[in-house]
Amino acid sequence: MAKRVTGAFSSTNSTQSPQGGIFAARVREIILDDTSNPEIFKSTGEWSGIGTIFFSLIGNSNSSKNPYSADKAYPLFPNQKIYPLKNEIVYIISLPTPKIQGAVSSQRFYYFQPVNLWSNNHHNAIPDPTNTPLVPNSQQQDYIETSAGVVRRVTDGGTEIDLGRTFTENLNIKTLQPYEGDIIYEGRWGQGLRFGSTIKNSSILNPWSKTGTDGDPITILRNSQYDDGKDPWVPQVEDINKEGSAIYMTSTQNIPIEASSKSYKSYSSAPSTPDKYEGEQIILNSGRLVFNTKEDSILFSSKDSINLNAITSVNIDAPKTILQSNEVYLGDKNASEPVILGNKFLNDMSKLLTQLIALGTALQVPVGTPVPFVPHAAIPVPAVNVTQTATEMLNKIQTYKSKVSKTK
Protein backbone atom coordinates (compact mmCIF):
# COMPACT_ATOMS: atom_id res chain seq x y z
CA MET A 1 0.00 0.00 0.00
CA ALA A 2 1.45 3.37 -1.00
CA LYS A 3 1.73 6.15 1.51
CA ARG A 4 1.07 9.83 1.07
CA VAL A 5 1.15 12.93 3.22
CA THR A 6 -2.05 14.90 3.71
CA GLY A 7 -2.50 18.09 5.68
CA ALA A 8 0.40 20.05 7.04
CA PHE A 9 1.77 17.54 9.55
CA SER A 10 -0.12 14.24 9.31
CA SER A 11 0.14 10.96 7.39
CA THR A 12 -2.57 8.64 6.04
CA ASN A 13 -2.73 5.73 3.64
CA SER A 14 -3.69 6.17 0.01
CA THR A 15 -3.15 4.54 -3.35
CA GLN A 16 -2.49 7.79 -5.21
CA SER A 17 1.06 8.88 -4.24
CA PRO A 18 4.11 6.62 -4.38
CA GLN A 19 6.04 5.91 -1.21
CA GLY A 20 9.54 7.36 -0.94
CA GLY A 21 11.76 8.49 -3.80
CA ILE A 22 11.00 11.33 -6.20
CA PHE A 23 7.96 11.45 -8.47
CA ALA A 24 6.51 13.83 -11.05
CA ALA A 25 3.28 15.76 -10.54
CA ARG A 26 1.18 18.45 -12.20
CA VAL A 27 0.57 21.74 -10.40
CA ARG A 28 -3.13 22.41 -9.99
CA GLU A 29 -3.02 25.47 -7.72
CA ILE A 30 -0.49 27.53 -5.71
CA ILE A 31 -0.80 29.73 -2.61
CA LEU A 32 0.97 33.10 -2.99
CA ASP A 33 -1.01 35.44 -0.72
CA ASP A 34 -3.52 35.59 2.13
CA THR A 35 -6.46 37.01 0.19
CA SER A 36 -7.09 34.72 -2.81
CA ASN A 37 -8.31 31.91 -0.58
CA PRO A 38 -8.02 32.82 3.15
CA GLU A 39 -9.22 29.42 4.38
CA ILE A 40 -6.64 27.49 2.35
CA PHE A 41 -3.98 30.06 3.25
CA LYS A 42 -4.60 29.32 6.93
CA SER A 43 -4.61 25.55 6.48
CA THR A 44 -1.25 25.54 4.69
CA GLY A 45 0.57 27.29 7.52
CA GLU A 46 -0.31 30.93 6.77
CA TRP A 47 2.77 32.98 5.80
CA SER A 48 5.12 30.05 6.38
CA GLY A 49 3.11 28.17 3.74
CA ILE A 50 3.58 30.68 0.93
CA GLY A 51 4.44 28.79 -2.24
CA THR A 52 2.46 25.69 -1.27
CA ILE A 53 1.18 23.86 -4.35
CA PHE A 54 -1.71 21.44 -4.77
CA PHE A 55 -0.80 18.71 -7.23
CA SER A 56 -1.98 15.61 -9.07
CA LEU A 57 0.14 12.71 -10.21
CA ILE A 58 0.88 12.54 -13.91
CA GLY A 59 -1.90 10.51 -15.48
CA ASN A 60 -4.14 10.96 -12.46
CA SER A 61 -5.45 14.52 -12.34
CA ASN A 62 -7.85 13.85 -9.43
CA SER A 63 -11.46 13.59 -10.46
CA SER A 64 -12.48 16.41 -8.13
CA LYS A 65 -12.91 19.80 -9.76
CA ASN A 66 -11.71 21.41 -6.55
CA PRO A 67 -7.90 21.66 -6.89
CA TYR A 68 -7.55 22.25 -3.14
CA SER A 69 -8.73 18.70 -2.48
CA ALA A 70 -5.53 17.38 -4.06
CA ASP A 71 -2.28 16.65 -2.26
CA LYS A 72 -0.08 19.59 -1.38
CA ALA A 73 3.67 20.17 -1.39
CA TYR A 74 5.92 22.93 -0.04
CA PRO A 75 8.96 24.64 -1.61
CA LEU A 76 12.05 22.51 -1.01
CA PHE A 77 14.72 25.22 -0.87
CA PRO A 78 14.53 28.08 1.68
CA ASN A 79 16.76 30.57 -0.13
CA GLN A 80 15.81 29.93 -3.74
CA LYS A 81 12.18 30.50 -4.66
CA ILE A 82 11.07 29.39 -8.13
CA TYR A 83 7.30 29.26 -7.87
CA PRO A 84 5.66 27.09 -10.55
CA LEU A 85 2.63 27.99 -12.62
CA LYS A 86 -0.54 25.98 -12.95
CA ASN A 87 -0.08 23.02 -15.31
CA GLU A 88 3.69 23.01 -14.98
CA ILE A 89 5.29 19.70 -14.00
CA VAL A 90 7.41 19.47 -10.85
CA TYR A 91 9.33 16.73 -9.09
CA ILE A 92 8.18 15.98 -5.55
CA ILE A 93 9.88 14.29 -2.62
CA SER A 94 8.67 13.29 0.85
CA LEU A 95 10.79 14.70 3.70
CA PRO A 96 10.47 15.54 7.44
CA THR A 97 8.07 18.17 8.75
CA PRO A 98 8.71 20.74 11.50
CA LYS A 99 7.18 18.20 13.92
CA ILE A 100 10.17 15.90 13.58
CA GLN A 101 11.25 16.63 17.16
CA GLY A 102 8.09 15.02 18.50
CA ALA A 103 7.46 12.51 15.74
CA VAL A 104 10.52 11.28 13.85
CA SER A 105 8.41 9.70 11.12
CA SER A 106 6.35 12.85 10.47
CA GLN A 107 6.72 13.77 6.78
CA ARG A 108 5.19 15.95 4.11
CA PHE A 109 5.79 16.63 0.43
CA TYR A 110 8.27 19.19 -0.97
CA TYR A 111 8.73 20.15 -4.61
CA PHE A 112 11.67 21.03 -6.85
CA GLN A 113 11.54 23.69 -9.56
CA PRO A 114 9.41 23.09 -12.70
CA VAL A 115 10.54 20.51 -15.24
CA ASN A 116 12.04 22.06 -18.36
CA LEU A 117 9.56 20.58 -20.85
CA TRP A 118 9.89 23.23 -23.55
CA SER A 119 13.31 24.69 -22.66
CA ASN A 120 11.46 27.97 -22.17
CA ASN A 121 12.17 30.44 -19.41
CA HIS A 122 8.66 31.94 -19.69
CA HIS A 123 6.73 28.80 -18.77
CA ASN A 124 6.81 25.04 -19.25
CA ALA A 125 3.16 24.19 -18.75
CA ILE A 126 1.31 21.57 -20.79
CA PRO A 127 -2.44 20.83 -20.94
CA ASP A 128 -3.73 17.99 -18.79
CA PRO A 129 -4.66 15.12 -21.17
CA THR A 130 -6.82 13.45 -18.50
CA ASN A 131 -9.18 16.43 -18.32
CA THR A 132 -9.04 17.55 -21.96
CA PRO A 133 -8.27 15.94 -25.31
CA LEU A 134 -4.60 15.09 -25.75
CA VAL A 135 -4.13 18.25 -27.77
CA PRO A 136 -7.08 20.65 -28.21
CA ASN A 137 -7.92 21.43 -31.83
CA SER A 138 -7.17 25.10 -31.23
CA GLN A 139 -3.68 24.18 -30.02
CA GLN A 140 -2.70 21.40 -32.42
CA GLN A 141 -0.48 23.76 -34.39
CA ASP A 142 1.31 24.74 -31.14
CA TYR A 143 2.85 21.28 -30.72
CA ILE A 144 5.14 20.24 -33.55
CA GLU A 145 6.72 16.81 -33.95
CA THR A 146 10.37 17.13 -34.98
CA SER A 147 13.27 14.71 -35.18
CA ALA A 148 14.19 15.84 -31.68
CA GLY A 149 10.71 15.21 -30.29
CA VAL A 150 7.67 17.36 -29.61
CA VAL A 151 8.26 21.11 -29.45
CA ARG A 152 5.83 23.92 -28.75
CA ARG A 153 5.90 26.80 -31.24
CA VAL A 154 2.88 29.07 -31.23
CA THR A 155 2.66 31.06 -34.45
CA ASP A 156 -0.89 32.42 -34.44
CA GLY A 157 -0.73 34.34 -31.17
CA GLY A 158 -3.31 32.10 -29.51
CA THR A 159 -3.05 29.93 -26.40
CA GLU A 160 -5.53 28.34 -24.02
CA ILE A 161 -3.28 26.88 -21.32
CA ASP A 162 -4.49 27.74 -17.81
CA LEU A 163 -1.45 29.27 -16.11
CA GLY A 164 -3.17 30.84 -13.11
CA ARG A 165 -5.31 33.80 -12.15
CA THR A 166 -2.98 36.64 -13.19
CA PHE A 167 -0.23 35.12 -15.36
CA THR A 168 -0.80 36.00 -19.02
CA GLU A 169 1.30 34.13 -21.54
CA ASN A 170 3.61 36.27 -23.67
CA LEU A 171 4.56 34.30 -26.76
CA ASN A 172 7.49 36.59 -27.59
CA ILE A 173 9.63 35.93 -24.52
CA LYS A 174 13.02 34.56 -25.54
CA THR A 175 15.73 32.61 -23.79
CA LEU A 176 19.34 33.77 -23.73
CA GLN A 177 21.85 32.35 -26.18
CA PRO A 178 24.30 30.20 -24.18
CA TYR A 179 28.05 29.96 -24.70
CA GLU A 180 30.49 27.36 -23.43
CA GLY A 181 31.01 27.64 -19.69
CA ASP A 182 28.11 30.06 -19.08
CA ILE A 183 26.00 29.98 -15.94
CA ILE A 184 22.69 31.68 -16.72
CA TYR A 185 19.67 32.56 -14.59
CA GLU A 186 16.53 33.76 -16.35
CA GLY A 187 13.22 35.21 -15.22
CA ARG A 188 9.89 34.53 -16.90
CA TRP A 189 9.69 37.96 -18.60
CA GLY A 190 13.01 38.40 -20.39
CA GLN A 191 15.19 39.14 -17.37
CA GLY A 192 18.60 37.52 -17.38
CA LEU A 193 21.77 37.15 -15.34
CA ARG A 194 24.74 35.75 -17.24
CA PHE A 195 28.03 34.70 -15.67
CA GLY A 196 29.91 34.45 -18.94
CA SER A 197 33.27 35.03 -20.57
CA THR A 198 34.99 36.15 -23.72
CA ILE A 199 34.33 33.64 -26.53
CA LYS A 200 36.17 34.79 -29.62
CA ASN A 201 35.55 31.98 -32.08
CA SER A 202 31.97 31.10 -31.28
CA SER A 203 29.73 30.28 -34.23
CA ILE A 204 27.22 32.81 -32.86
CA LEU A 205 29.01 36.09 -32.19
CA ASN A 206 28.39 38.37 -29.24
CA PRO A 207 29.27 42.07 -28.77
CA TRP A 208 31.66 41.60 -25.83
CA SER A 209 34.19 39.16 -27.28
CA LYS A 210 36.10 41.41 -29.69
CA THR A 211 38.86 42.12 -27.16
CA GLY A 212 40.68 40.22 -24.45
CA THR A 213 41.30 36.50 -24.23
CA ASP A 214 38.97 33.51 -24.17
CA GLY A 215 37.85 32.94 -20.61
CA ASP A 216 38.02 36.56 -19.45
CA PRO A 217 34.98 36.88 -17.15
CA ILE A 218 31.98 39.10 -17.73
CA THR A 219 28.73 39.46 -15.76
CA ILE A 220 25.60 40.81 -17.43
CA LEU A 221 22.32 41.59 -15.68
CA ARG A 222 19.42 42.79 -17.81
CA ASN A 223 15.80 43.52 -16.91
CA SER A 224 14.09 42.89 -20.25
CA GLN A 225 14.73 41.67 -23.75
CA TYR A 226 14.44 43.54 -27.06
CA ASP A 227 12.70 42.86 -30.35
CA ASP A 228 15.24 41.36 -32.74
CA GLY A 229 12.71 40.39 -35.42
CA LYS A 230 13.41 36.66 -35.05
CA ASP A 231 11.07 33.85 -34.07
CA PRO A 232 10.42 33.80 -30.31
CA TRP A 233 11.94 30.32 -29.88
CA VAL A 234 15.31 31.49 -31.26
CA PRO A 235 17.64 32.41 -28.33
CA GLN A 236 18.80 36.00 -28.04
CA VAL A 237 22.18 37.60 -27.34
CA GLU A 238 22.21 40.68 -25.10
CA ASP A 239 22.50 44.11 -26.73
CA ILE A 240 23.10 46.94 -24.28
CA ASN A 241 21.76 49.54 -26.74
CA LYS A 242 18.44 47.78 -27.35
CA GLU A 243 17.46 45.90 -24.19
CA GLY A 244 15.93 47.37 -21.03
CA SER A 245 17.83 48.42 -17.91
CA ALA A 246 21.16 46.61 -17.71
CA ILE A 247 24.35 46.32 -15.69
CA TYR A 248 27.56 45.10 -17.31
CA MET A 249 30.65 44.16 -15.26
CA THR A 250 33.67 43.57 -17.46
CA SER A 251 37.28 42.47 -17.11
CA THR A 252 38.95 43.03 -20.51
CA GLN A 253 35.92 43.45 -22.74
CA ASN A 254 34.94 46.41 -24.87
CA ILE A 255 31.18 47.12 -24.73
CA PRO A 256 29.88 49.06 -27.77
CA ILE A 257 27.48 51.24 -25.79
CA GLU A 258 26.05 54.26 -27.57
CA ALA A 259 26.46 57.04 -25.00
CA SER A 260 23.83 59.80 -25.13
CA SER A 261 26.47 62.54 -24.89
CA LYS A 262 30.17 62.31 -25.78
CA SER A 263 31.45 65.89 -25.62
CA TYR A 264 34.78 66.06 -23.81
CA LYS A 265 35.86 69.61 -24.73
CA SER A 266 36.70 70.38 -21.12
CA TYR A 267 39.66 67.99 -21.35
CA SER A 268 43.10 68.69 -22.72
CA SER A 269 43.49 64.91 -22.99
CA ALA A 270 40.04 63.32 -23.07
CA PRO A 271 39.34 59.86 -21.55
CA SER A 272 38.38 56.92 -23.74
CA THR A 273 34.76 57.15 -24.83
CA PRO A 274 32.44 54.52 -23.28
CA ASP A 275 32.30 52.52 -26.51
CA LYS A 276 36.11 52.40 -26.89
CA TYR A 277 37.29 51.53 -23.39
CA GLU A 278 38.79 48.08 -22.83
CA GLY A 279 39.24 46.82 -19.30
CA GLU A 280 37.54 46.53 -15.94
CA GLN A 281 34.47 48.71 -15.70
CA ILE A 282 30.86 48.69 -14.54
CA ILE A 283 28.28 50.07 -16.95
CA LEU A 284 24.77 51.02 -15.85
CA ASN A 285 22.43 51.70 -18.74
CA SER A 286 18.77 52.63 -18.39
CA GLY A 287 16.12 55.18 -19.28
CA ARG A 288 16.87 56.91 -15.98
CA LEU A 289 19.32 56.51 -13.09
CA VAL A 290 18.53 57.57 -9.53
CA PHE A 291 21.15 57.60 -6.78
CA ASN A 292 19.65 58.27 -3.38
CA THR A 293 20.84 57.95 0.21
CA LYS A 294 18.52 57.95 3.21
CA GLU A 295 21.19 58.33 5.89
CA ASP A 296 24.63 59.41 4.72
CA SER A 297 26.43 60.67 1.60
CA ILE A 298 26.95 59.72 -2.01
CA LEU A 299 30.70 59.59 -2.60
CA PHE A 300 32.32 59.63 -6.03
CA SER A 301 36.04 58.87 -6.02
CA SER A 302 38.28 58.60 -9.06
CA LYS A 303 42.00 58.08 -9.61
CA ASP A 304 41.77 60.27 -12.71
CA SER A 305 38.76 62.50 -13.38
CA ILE A 306 35.02 62.60 -12.86
CA ASN A 307 33.09 63.67 -15.93
CA LEU A 308 29.52 64.95 -16.01
CA ASN A 309 28.32 64.87 -19.60
CA ALA A 310 24.86 65.92 -20.76
CA ILE A 311 23.14 67.11 -23.91
CA THR A 312 21.02 69.81 -22.25
CA SER A 313 22.52 70.93 -18.93
CA VAL A 314 24.19 69.95 -15.69
CA ASN A 315 22.08 71.16 -12.79
CA ILE A 316 22.98 71.28 -9.10
CA ASP A 317 20.30 72.10 -6.54
CA ALA A 318 21.50 72.42 -2.96
CA PRO A 319 21.40 74.89 -0.05
CA LYS A 320 25.18 75.19 -0.36
CA THR A 321 27.60 74.27 -3.16
CA ILE A 322 31.28 74.01 -2.23
CA LEU A 323 34.16 73.56 -4.68
CA GLN A 324 37.45 72.82 -2.93
CA SER A 325 40.14 73.06 -5.61
CA ASN A 326 43.53 74.60 -6.33
CA GLU A 327 42.29 75.79 -9.71
CA VAL A 328 38.80 76.46 -11.05
CA TYR A 329 38.23 77.15 -14.74
CA LEU A 330 34.89 78.64 -15.78
CA GLY A 331 33.63 78.75 -19.35
CA ASP A 332 36.58 77.00 -21.01
CA LYS A 333 39.48 74.73 -20.15
CA ASN A 334 41.83 77.45 -21.42
CA ALA A 335 40.27 80.25 -19.36
CA SER A 336 43.05 82.65 -18.27
CA GLU A 337 41.30 85.69 -16.77
CA PRO A 338 41.30 85.48 -12.96
CA VAL A 339 38.12 86.20 -11.02
CA ILE A 340 38.30 89.40 -8.90
CA LEU A 341 38.20 88.96 -5.14
CA GLY A 342 35.07 90.94 -4.30
CA ASN A 343 35.76 92.08 -0.72
CA LYS A 344 39.33 93.19 -1.35
CA PHE A 345 38.43 94.95 -4.58
CA LEU A 346 35.45 96.79 -3.08
CA ASN A 347 37.41 97.88 -0.02
CA ASP A 348 40.02 99.49 -2.24
CA MET A 349 37.32 100.89 -4.50
CA SER A 350 35.64 102.51 -1.46
CA LYS A 351 38.86 104.30 -0.59
CA LEU A 352 39.29 105.51 -4.17
CA LEU A 353 35.70 106.75 -4.40
CA THR A 354 36.06 108.62 -1.09
CA GLN A 355 39.12 110.39 -2.40
CA LEU A 356 37.41 111.18 -5.71
CA ILE A 357 34.49 112.71 -3.82
CA ALA A 358 36.86 114.93 -1.84
CA LEU A 359 38.69 116.00 -4.98
CA GLY A 360 35.48 116.65 -6.86
CA THR A 361 34.12 118.78 -4.03
CA ALA A 362 37.26 120.89 -3.97
CA LEU A 363 37.25 121.40 -7.72
CA GLN A 364 33.69 122.68 -7.74
CA VAL A 365 35.04 126.20 -6.74
CA PRO A 366 36.32 128.00 -9.87
CA VAL A 367 40.07 128.48 -9.89
CA GLY A 368 42.34 130.70 -11.93
CA THR A 369 45.47 132.82 -11.73
CA PRO A 370 45.60 135.01 -8.57
CA VAL A 371 46.25 138.30 -10.36
CA PRO A 372 44.28 139.18 -12.25
CA PHE A 373 41.65 136.57 -11.13
CA VAL A 374 40.32 134.62 -14.12
CA PRO A 375 37.93 131.71 -13.23
CA HIS A 376 38.51 128.34 -15.01
CA ALA A 377 34.93 127.76 -16.14
CA ALA A 378 35.52 124.19 -17.54
CA ILE A 379 36.25 122.59 -14.12
CA PRO A 380 33.15 122.98 -11.89
CA VAL A 381 30.63 120.99 -14.03
CA PRO A 382 32.80 117.80 -14.44
CA ALA A 383 33.72 118.07 -10.78
CA VAL A 384 30.05 118.03 -9.79
CA ASN A 385 29.39 115.00 -12.02
CA VAL A 386 32.37 113.02 -10.65
CA THR A 387 31.36 113.81 -7.08
CA GLN A 388 27.76 112.72 -7.71
CA THR A 389 28.73 109.46 -9.46
CA ALA A 390 31.34 108.51 -6.86
CA THR A 391 28.86 109.23 -4.05
CA GLU A 392 26.22 106.99 -5.67
CA MET A 393 28.73 104.12 -6.14
CA LEU A 394 29.99 104.45 -2.57
CA ASN A 395 26.44 104.35 -1.17
CA LYS A 396 25.68 101.04 -2.89
CA ILE A 397 29.16 99.51 -2.71
CA GLN A 398 27.91 96.36 -0.89
CA THR A 399 25.41 95.55 -3.63
CA TYR A 400 28.22 94.77 -6.05
CA LYS A 401 28.95 91.55 -4.15
CA SER A 402 27.21 88.30 -5.13
CA LYS A 403 24.93 86.88 -2.46
CA VAL A 404 25.59 83.33 -3.78
CA SER A 405 29.06 82.85 -5.26
CA LYS A 406 32.22 83.13 -3.19
CA THR A 407 35.89 82.48 -3.96
CA LYS A 408 39.17 82.59 -2.08
Side-chain angles (χ1 to χ4, degrees):
M1 182 70 69
K3 186 177 181 180
R4 71 167 182 172
V5 178
T6 60
F9 309 112
S10 62
S11 298
T12 60
N13 291 328
S14 171
T15 58
Q16 178 177 340
S17 303
Q19 182 177 15
I22 300 175
F23 59 93
R26 177 186 302 278
V27 178
R28 299 193 64 199
E29 193 56 80
I30 183 169
I31 302 301
L32 296 173
D33 57 60
D34 62 337
T35 58
S36 298
N37 194 317
E39 183 179 347
I40 299 299
F41 168 78
K42 186 175 182 179
S43 70
T44 54
E46 298 183 332
W47 294 112
S48 63
I50 291 296
T52 300
I53 65 168
F54 292 82
F55 67 88
S56 300
L57 294 179
I58 301 299
N60 182 357
S61 64
N62 191 327
S63 58
S64 172
K65 293 183 179 181
N66 179 14
Y68 300 110
S69 66
D71 291 297
K72 57 176 169 282
Y74 295 79
L76 177 60
F77 302 110
N79 304 109
Q80 181 181 351
K81 306 298 196 314
I82 303 178
Y83 296 123
L85 298 168
K86 289 179 65 174
N87 283 308
E88 286 191 317
I89 308 301
V90 296
Y91 274 112
I92 293 179
I93 188 171
S94 181
L95 293 170
T97 77
K99 283 194 172 184
I100 189 174
Q101 289 181 317
V104 177
S105 61
S106 176
Q107 292 191 332
R108 66 183 183 184
F109 290 131
Y110 296 87
Y111 66 86
F112 295 84
Q113 65 188 49
V115 177
N116 188 26
L117 287 180
W118 308 118
S119 295
N120 190 292
N121 53 306
H122 186 51
H123 80 77
N124 284 275
I126 189 170
D128 186 352
T130 63
N131 285 341
T132 60
L134 181 59
V135 179
N137 292 333
S138 59
Q139 294 184 22
Q140 285 187 11
Q141 63 178 349
D142 296 3
Y143 302 89
I144 303 171
E145 185 77 30
T146 69
S147 58
V150 178
V151 298
R152 182 169 187 264
R153 294 179 179 174
V154 182
T155 58
D156 65 349
T159 178
E160 287 97 10
I161 299 179
D162 182 8
L163 300 174
R165 287 182 293 275
T166 62
F167 192 97
T168 302
E169 185 176 25
N170 184 339
L171 300 176
N172 294 316
I173 298 298
K174 296 172 172 286
T175 61
L176 283 174
Q177 172 64 47
Y179 295 92
E180 290 183 356
D182 282 354
I183 295 178
I184 298 175
Y185 297 92
E186 294 183 80
R188 294 186 185 271
W189 302 102
Q191 309 99 319
L193 173 59
R194 181 195 297 271
F195 295 97
S197 66
T198 294
I199 305 286
K200 284 198 167 184
N201 296 317
S202 174
S203 57
I204 298 179
L205 300 178
N206 61 60
W208 61 82
S209 294
K210 296 179 181 179
T211 60
T213 304
D214 284 352
D216 290 341
I218 186 170
T219 302
I220 301 174
L221 172 63
R222 76 172 187 180
N223 187 54
S224 61
Q225 64 180 35
Y226 61 95
D227 183 6
D228 57 10
K230 298 180 181 179
D231 289 327
W233 50 83
V234 178
Q236 185 176 88
V237 179
E238 296 94 331
D239 187 324
I240 194 170
N241 298 308
K242 297 178 181 178
E243 60 204 3
S245 299
I247 300 175
Y248 282 59
M249 290 182 281
T250 70
S251 56
T252 62
Q253 295 83 6
N254 160 247
I255 305 301
I257 181 173
E258 298 171 0
S260 297
S261 179
K262 295 186 292 185
S263 175
Y264 302 102
K265 295 180 180 179
S266 62
Y267 287 88
S268 298
S269 179
S272 299
T273 57
D275 60 327
K276 300 298 183 183
Y277 185 80
E278 300 175 11
E280 293 184 2
Q281 64 176 330
I282 297 177
I283 300 175
L284 291 86
N285 191 48
S286 183
R288 178 173 177 172
L289 297 178
V290 177
F291 297 88
N292 180 67
T293 61
K294 295 189 293 183
E295 298 295 336
D296 204 80
S297 305
I298 294 176
L299 304 177
F300 292 95
S301 178
S302 174
K303 184 178 180 180
D304 195 350
S305 66
I306 295 176
N307 177 262
L308 299 178
N309 209 313
I311 294 177
T312 304
S313 65
V314 175
N315 297 39
I316 299 176
D317 296 297
K320 182 187 294 184
T321 302
I322 301 172
L323 296 176
Q324 175 69 44
S325 178
N326 292 330
E327 292 183 273
V328 177
Y329 293 83
L330 301 176
D332 190 85
K333 64 178 181 289
N334 296 317
S336 59
E337 292 291 332
V339 177
I340 293 176
L341 299 179
N343 286 332
K344 290 184 177 181
F345 174 78
L346 293 180
N347 286 337
D348 291 341
M349 178 63 74
S350 296
K351 294 177 183 178
L352 177 60
L353 291 174
T354 300
Q355 293 173 2
L356 283 175
I357 291 171
L359 177 61
T361 301
L363 290 177
Q364 291 178 31
V365 179
V367 296
T369 56
V371 179
F373 181 77
V374 179
H376 199 309
I379 293 178
V381 174
V384 171
N385 292 338
V386 169
T387 302
Q388 182 178 349
T389 300
T391 301
E392 292 174 354
M393 291 180 64
L394 185 61
N395 289 339
K396 61 179 183 180
I397 195 71
Q398 294 300 319
T399 65
Y400 289 99
K401 294 192 294 184
S402 171
K403 296 181 180 179
V404 176
S405 301
K406 295 178 174 62
T407 188
K408 182 178 179 181

